[in-house]
C-alpha cells in the first residue's frame, strides 16, 4: 500500500460510520507525514462536522451518502465534506459564549467551535443542492 | 476503535467518586460514560473527579457529558474536577472552557493538594 495524495471515503449518515471514517483517514494521513497529535485534531474537526450533519441535517430517516475527500499537497491536508443535507454554513453559525458559567452554557455549539479551532482555513459553499465544507490543516504548525 | 471502558471508584463515605474512562470519548462512545456518570449523580456526591489519564481523544460529545455533570453538581452545591489530562486533551477543554481552569489538574499531586486544602477548610474554616 503506497502513499496516496488523495483519497475519498463514502459513508452513510449514521454515527456508527464515524469509526471507520476515522480509521480510513488515519491510514491516509499518517503515512503522508502527519503526526499522531495532528491527526487527532483532524479527526476532531471531521467528527464535529460530520456528526453535526448526521444529527441535524436531515428531515427524513433515510440513508444518505456523505463523501469525504482528503488530499495532501504542499505540506497541507485538505478535507472536503460533501453531503445532501439541508443547507448549513458553519462559518455563519454563532459561536458559543465559552465564558458563561456552566449553568448558563447551552448544550450545543461546541462542535463548530472545535472545528474552526482545529483547522487553519475553513470554506463553505452550497451547490446543486449540496453542502461542500472544506477545511485545510497545515502540517507541522504549532 | 475500541469501545470505551469506564471504571468508577467510590471513596470512603461515598462523598466523592472517581470516574476513569479509558480510550476515546467520541460520538460513538460517549453514552457509555454518560450512563456511568448518571449512576454516580444519582448517589448525590459532593464531588466527582474525572481521571482522564487513559483518555487519548475527546470530542464535543464527551465534553458534553462532563459539562452536564458539572451543571448537576453545581446546582447541588458540589463540583466536578478533571485530573491527568494529556496536553492535547487539555487543549480541547481549554478551547471550550467546559470547566473553570481551577477545576482542571494536570496531575494527581496537584489534585491531592487541592483536596487536602478543601478538607482542612471543612475542619478549620477558610484561611484568613
Amino acid at each position: 500500500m503506497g502513499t496516496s495524495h488523495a483519497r475519498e471515503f463514502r459513508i452513510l449518515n449514521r454515527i456508527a460510520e464515524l469509526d471507520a471514517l476515522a480509521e480510513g483517514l488515519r491510514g491516509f494521513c499518517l503515512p503522508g507525514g502527519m503526526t499522531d497529535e495532528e491527526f487527532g485534531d483532524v479527526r476532531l474537526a471531521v467528527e464535529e462536522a460530520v456528526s453535526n450533519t448526521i444529527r441535524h441535517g436531515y428531515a427524513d430517516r433515510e440513508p444518505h451518502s456523505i463523501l469525504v475527500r482528503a488530499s495532501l499537497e504542499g505540506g497541507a491536508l485538505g478535507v472536503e465534506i460533501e453531503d445532501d443535507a439541508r443547507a448549513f454554513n458553519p462559518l455563519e453559525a454563532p459561536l458559543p459564549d465559552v465564558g458563561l458559567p456552566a449553568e448558563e452554557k447551552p448544550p450545543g455549539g461546541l462542535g463548530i467551535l472545535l472545528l474552526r479551532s482545529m483547522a487553519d482555513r475553513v470554506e463553505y459553499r452550497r451547490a446543486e443542492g449540496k453542502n461542500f465544507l472544506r477545511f485545510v490543516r497545515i502540517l507541522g504548525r504549532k | 476503535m475500541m469501545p470505551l471502558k469506564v471504571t468508577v471508584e467510590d471513596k470512603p463515605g461515598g462523598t466523592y467518586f472517581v470516574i476513569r474512562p479509558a480510550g476515546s470519548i467520541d460520538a460513538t462512545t460517549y453514552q457509555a460514560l454518560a450512563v456511568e456518570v448518571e449512576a454516580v449523580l444519582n448517589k448525590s456526591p459532593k464531588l466527582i473527579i474525572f481521571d482522564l489519564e487513559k483518555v487519548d481523544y475527546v470530542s464535543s460529545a464527551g465534553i458534553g457529558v462532563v459539562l452536564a455533570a458539572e451543571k448537576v453538581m453545581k446546582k447541588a452545591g458540589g463540583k466536578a474536577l478533571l485530573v491527568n489530562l494529556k496536553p492535547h486533551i487539555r487543549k480541547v477543554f481549554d478551547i471550550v472552557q467546559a470547566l473553570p481552569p481551577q477545576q482542571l489538574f494536570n496531575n494527581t499531586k496537584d489534585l491531592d493538594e487541592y483536596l487536602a486544602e478543601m478538607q482542612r477548610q471543612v475542619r478549620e474554616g477558610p484561611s484568613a
Side-chain angles (χ1 to χ4, degrees), chain A residues 41 43 47-48 102 105, chain B residues 26 57 59-60 71 91 97:
Chain A
D41 290 353
R43 178 187 166 189
E47 175 181 329
E48 299 300 347
K105 280 191 163 85
Chain B
D26 59 42
Y57 174 88
S59 70
S60 65
K71 287 181 177 179
K91 177 178 76 178
Q97 297 182 43

Side-chain angles (χ1 to χ4, degrees), chain A residues 15-16 18-19 22-23 37 40-41 43-44 47-48 55 98-99 101-103 105-107 110-111 113-114 117-118, chain B residues 1 24-28 30 56-61 63-64 67 70-71 74 87-88 91-92 95-99:
Chain A
I15 291 292
L18 287 172
D19 267 359
E23 284 299 312
E37 183 170 339
D41 290 353
R43 178 187 166 189
L44 183 56
E47 175 181 329
E48 299 300 347
R55 289 211 165 92
V98 296
E103 61 273 22
K105 280 191 163 85
L110 299 182
L113 173 60
L114 288 170
S117 299
M118 296 296 134
Chain B
M1 305 282 178
S24 167
I25 314 174
D26 59 42
T28 69
Y30 78 97
D56 50 39
Y57 174 88
V58 67
S59 70
S60 65
I63 293 169
L67 179 56
E70 167 69 358
K71 287 181 177 179
K74 198 170 176 183
H88 62 285
K91 177 178 76 178
V92 176
I95 288 170
V96 302
Q97 297 182 43
L99 296 185

Side-chain angles (χ1 to χ4, degrees), chain B residues 53-89:
Chain B
E53 182 179 14
K54 296 186 177 176
V55 171
D56 50 39
Y57 174 88
V58 67
S59 70
S60 65
I63 293 169
V65 176
V66 172
L67 179 56
E70 167 69 358
K71 287 181 177 179
V72 172
M73 293 296 292
K74 198 170 176 183
K75 195 172 179 183
K79 60 178 68 172
L81 306 178
L82 302 183
V83 68
N84 292 326
L85 293 82
K86 294 185 171 72
H88 62 285
I89 303 296

Side-chain angles (χ1 to χ4, degrees), chain B residues 103-121:
Chain B
Q103 287 175 230
L104 275 66
F105 299 86
N106 287 331
N107 54 63
T108 306
K109 176 176 177 293
D110 291 348
L111 174 62
D112 286 345
E113 288 176 1
Y114 171 84
L115 292 176
E117 175 59 20
M118 277 181 64
Q119 289 173 340
R120 190 198 66 75
Q121 289 187 10

